Amino acid sequence: MDIDAWVWWLIGAAALGIPLVLTAMPEFGMLAVGAVAASVTAGLGGGTVLQVVVFAAVSVALIGVVRPVAARHRAQRPELATGVDALRGRSAVVLERVDGSGGRIKLAGEIWSARALDTDRAYEAGQAVDVVEIDGATAVVM
């Protein structure tokens, strides 16, 4: 029983997919796509040399183009802040006097315990303050 070259390339692509899933290294996926491209070349009647050239060219092109783009995206901070990160820099309204020892504010529709960043400073009810950071369940304001 003689197996066509395009089938071998598909087997190779599937074999490259296994370490892709196990290691989460996208380079294996790019090599698998190169193997699929070589399989198509073989299915269209391309010779062995052309199949290897297509495999190498597609794999190298994907690694050369996709990998730097993925690395750049991985290095960027998310544009959308969530959780307590989203509360930093927001304005709040003092509900109960806030000083260095504590108080209450209304922040993002919720009531939070708060303390003043500057321990010598106090904010009275009704005043607007800015949240500098969140320390546990306490907003630090100024």
Side-chain angles (χ1 to χ4, degrees):
M1 181 164 133
D2 192 21
I3 298 178
D4 291 336
W6 67 271
V7 175
W8 285 115
W9 282 110
L10 286 181
I11 292 170
L16 286 166
I18 293 169
L20 168 67
V21 171
L22 295 177
T23 65
M25 291 180 60
E27 291 83 0
F28 285 113
M30 295 173 207
L31 291 171
V33 171
V36 170
S39 175
V40 170
T41 303
L44 294 174
T48 305
V49 172
L50 181 60
Q51 294 170 32
V52 171
V53 167
V54 167
F55 169 74
V58 169
S59 298
V60 169
L62 284 173
I63 290 171
V65 173
V66 174
R67 193 165 181 245
V69 171
R72 191 169 43 246
H73 282 285
R74 204 175 310 130
Q76 290 177 345
R77 288 189 49 99
E79 293 179 23
L80 178 63
T82 59
V84 293
D85 292 333
L87 299 175
R88 283 191 206 119
R90 295 201 51 186
S91 294
V93 176
V94 176
L95 297 177
E96 296 175 12
R97 179 184 164 98
V98 175
D99 54 24
S101 62
R104 296 256 183 242
I105 61 171
K106 187 166 192 169
L107 171 62
E110 297 177 346
I111 297 174
W112 281 73
S113 61
R115 75 176 189 310
L117 178 63
D118 181 4
T119 55
D120 297 332
R121 181 89 196 255
Y123 303 96
E124 298 301 327
Q127 255 185 299
V129 292
D130 292 322
V131 176
V132 177
E133 67 177 307
I134 303 293
D135 182 19
T138 303
V140 180
V141 298
M142 63 179 245

